[in-house]
Amino acid sequence: MNVVVIGAQWGDEGKGKIVDFLANDADVIIRYSGGANAGHTIVIGDNQYALHLVPSGILYPNKTVYLGTGMVIDPEALFKELAMLKEKGIDWEGRVFISDRAHIVLPRYRELDKQRDAQRKKPIGTTGRGIGITYSMKSDRDGIRLADLTWKDKMEELEQEDRDFLAPYTERLLSMKVNLTAEMYKLRSKHVLMEGAQGAMLDLDSGTYPYVSSGMSCSSGAAVGAGIGPRALDRVLGVFKAYSTRVGNGPMPTEFDEESQSELYKFVRDTGREYGVTTGRPRRCGYLDLVALRYACQTNSIDGLILTHLDIYDSLDEIEACVAYEIDGKEVTDFPASIEELNRAKPVLRKFSGWKTSLKNCKSYDEIHPAAKAYIDFIEKYTEVAVDIVSVGYDRKETIIRRNPWK
């Protein structure tokens, strides 16, 4: 069974925790897209792990993980991350493999990434990790894949600084390479968990272009990144927060007004720890955007939602969510492609009663306060997708399953 986990907003929805939680019942975990621009935080007791390239399932001692075909891999960042895991007692040797079709990020791509964004009249807000440049090189057919490290003619095309950079990593990378399609065929009767990066609204095709990532953060990217066909995907789970966040530039119709709503903005940002794992940048925060969430469900065939950060609202008297946009005097409930329309959009809000109690100690859905359940019920009706899992804290144990995705 192949289960896909994607972000259903603009990234930072808590995918790392959810993948780590679901990995307990998976045989292998595949990260299918993105690069070191992603940041997945996992909290287990007193230990916190910040992962950027390695799939979240690596924290289980008996799990095998794969860096997929759709990924772009910075060797320096990868081996630094693996060293961090080893220092923290995670024995990863023999359990981390890389698709031989994955592309390599070279150091000069990072500077090119920053330069290109700085030269734009309206910068996108890149992380400067060289991700966009690597994907551009891939599209231009000038990139270098893991499989190409033994191709003499291809290596000679690289600049000397690139070859010098790759030299100390080459043997280690090659020792981890696999034909992922062949591996997936062997695993066809196993439980395979596929982990996305960023979020559906940052997908190159269906996101808020051009303020998007360069990779495929949509659910169909899981098939490409795992080297299989789309009919082999059994379930698609979309992770979303009880509110909305975004990093970098681009439209966000439900963003709190930092002047008139500074107290609410600060409360959500600080209580939710809304600072980038990779960059440390403060995230933009706003009301839950149900228009965007329903669009993400429709474009990705999401058949199960996972709600995170619900506990952030525990102390509020009331909360609000966006159920439509007002654009040029008209009420709109379908997510527009036009950036100008999104920039003019004003959220149409619906109020919900707060629950004024801590949800962190809830062990089952029955224990969740009725007001919080009412909020969840409305989300389900609006999106027409069931909320299968509810997260009420950062730790693994603070997770409530309503429907097991493996069954």
Side-chain angles (χ1 to χ4, degrees), residues 203-217:
D203 182 72
L204 184 61
D205 290 294
S206 56
T208 51
Y209 187 90
Y211 301 98
V212 292
S213 184
S214 299
M216 296 179 73
S217 47

Side-chain angles (χ1 to χ4, degrees), residues 158-177:
L158 296 178
E159 296 182 15
Q160 186 61 48
E161 65 177 293
D162 297 334
R163 294 197 294 271
D164 291 343
F165 166 75
L166 288 169
Y169 299 112
T170 299
E171 288 305 315
R172 282 190 284 174
L173 288 168
L174 291 174
S175 71
M176 299 162 73
K177 81 177 177 72

Side-chain angles (χ1 to χ4, degrees), residues 181-404:
T181 297
E183 290 292 304
M184 284 297 290
Y185 187 74
K186 296 173 189 174
L187 295 166
R188 62 192 181 280
S189 62
K190 302 292 187 179
H191 279 179
V192 179
L193 185 60
M194 301 180 184
E195 173 184 11
Q198 286 79 50
M201 304 309 295
L202 293 176
D203 182 72
L204 184 61
D205 290 294
S206 56
T208 51
Y209 187 90
Y211 301 98
V212 292
S213 184
S214 299
M216 296 179 73
S217 47
C218 58
S219 59
S220 55
V224 176
I228 57 176
R231 288 194 296 173
L233 304 180
D234 296 297
R235 293 210 66 203
V236 178
L237 304 175
V239 186
F240 75 104
K241 285 189 281 207
Y243 49 90
S244 298
T245 64
R246 180 166 193 162
V247 172
N249 300 325
M252 185 181 172
T254 66
E255 185 171 10
F256 298 138
D257 186 303
E258 206 150 3
E259 292 184 9
S260 64
Q261 296 175 298
S262 59
E263 191 173 331
L264 179 60
Y265 209 132
K266 187 176 187 303
F267 169 81
V268 171
R269 181 181 279 168
D270 291 347
T271 309
R273 297 192 235 176
E274 297 299 346
Y275 297 87
V277 178
T278 302
T279 63
R281 288 184 295 182
R283 297 175 185 141
R284 299 158 61 190
C285 302
Y287 303 106
L288 174 61
D289 189 334
L290 288 169
V291 178
L293 181 62
R294 181 167 60 187
Y295 169 74
C297 290
Q298 293 169 348
T299 57
N300 291 278
S301 298
I302 292 173
D303 50 14
L305 285 168
I306 299 174
L307 171 58
T308 64
H309 286 60
L310 185 61
D311 55 296
I312 302 306
Y313 278 156
D314 281 354
S315 63
L316 299 186
D317 293 320
E318 66 176 20
I319 58 178
E320 295 178 276
C322 171
V323 296
Y325 302 147
E326 183 187 314
I327 303 175
D328 301 331
K330 295 180 181 179
E331 198 165 290
V332 175
T333 55
D334 291 323
F335 192 80
S338 168
I339 297 300
E340 286 190 331
E341 287 184 15
L342 287 168
N343 284 335
R344 294 198 303 272
K346 297 177 182 177
V348 178
L349 300 173
R350 177 182 172 122
K351 292 185 190 303
F352 298 84
S353 297
W355 38 94
K356 301 289 288 180
T357 186
S358 175
L359 300 178
K360 279 186 173 291
N361 295 323
C362 295
K363 303 300 181 187
S364 71
Y365 194 70
D366 290 340
E367 295 178 24
I368 290 181
H369 192 280
K373 285 183 181 177
Y375 186 52
I376 295 169
D377 288 344
F378 185 85
I379 292 168
E380 291 182 317
K381 288 173 184 173
Y382 191 97
T383 61
E384 298 182 69
V385 180
V387 174
D388 291 347
I389 297 174
V390 179
S391 171
V392 292
Y394 294 98
D395 200 276
R396 272 181 188 166
K397 64 185 179 182
E398 296 169 331
T399 312
I400 298 168
I401 293 186
R402 300 177 72 194
R403 181 171 66 153
N404 189 325

Side-chain angles (χ1 to χ4, degrees), residues 54-163:
V54 181
S56 303
I58 191 63
L59 300 181
Y60 289 89
N62 59 336
K63 306 297 180 183
T64 300
V65 303
Y66 296 87
L67 281 66
T69 298
M71 288 190 67
V72 291
I73 297 164
D74 182 333
E76 184 179 15
L78 173 62
F79 287 107
K80 188 179 292 185
E81 191 168 309
L82 291 172
M84 175 274 292
L85 287 170
K86 191 168 186 177
E87 286 173 9
K88 292 196 172 189
I90 306 299
D91 183 13
W92 61 266
E93 284 91 344
R95 298 195 296 121
V96 179
F97 298 95
I98 308 171
S99 169
D100 52 11
R101 290 175 169 85
H103 277 248
I104 304 295
V105 180
L106 297 171
R108 60 188 174 87
Y109 294 174
R110 300 176 206 150
E111 193 56 40
L112 285 171
D113 202 1
K114 295 173 186 174
Q115 290 174 6
R116 180 176 290 184
D117 204 43
Q119 289 167 359
R120 292 185 173 104
K121 290 184 178 179
K122 292 185 178 179
I124 292 170
T126 174
T127 59
R129 295 298 195 275
I131 308 304
I133 297 297
T134 310
Y135 278 118
S136 295
M137 298 288 280
K138 176 180 178 177
S139 297
D140 288 340
R141 292 159 291 181
D142 290 321
I144 180 167
R145 305 171 304 162
L146 179 55
D148 301 331
L149 295 179
T150 57
W151 183 6
K152 186 173 179 291
D153 290 344
K154 183 66 177 178
M155 293 299 287
E156 288 177 353
E157 291 176 9
L158 296 178
E159 296 182 15
Q160 186 61 48
E161 65 177 293
D162 297 334
R163 294 197 294 271

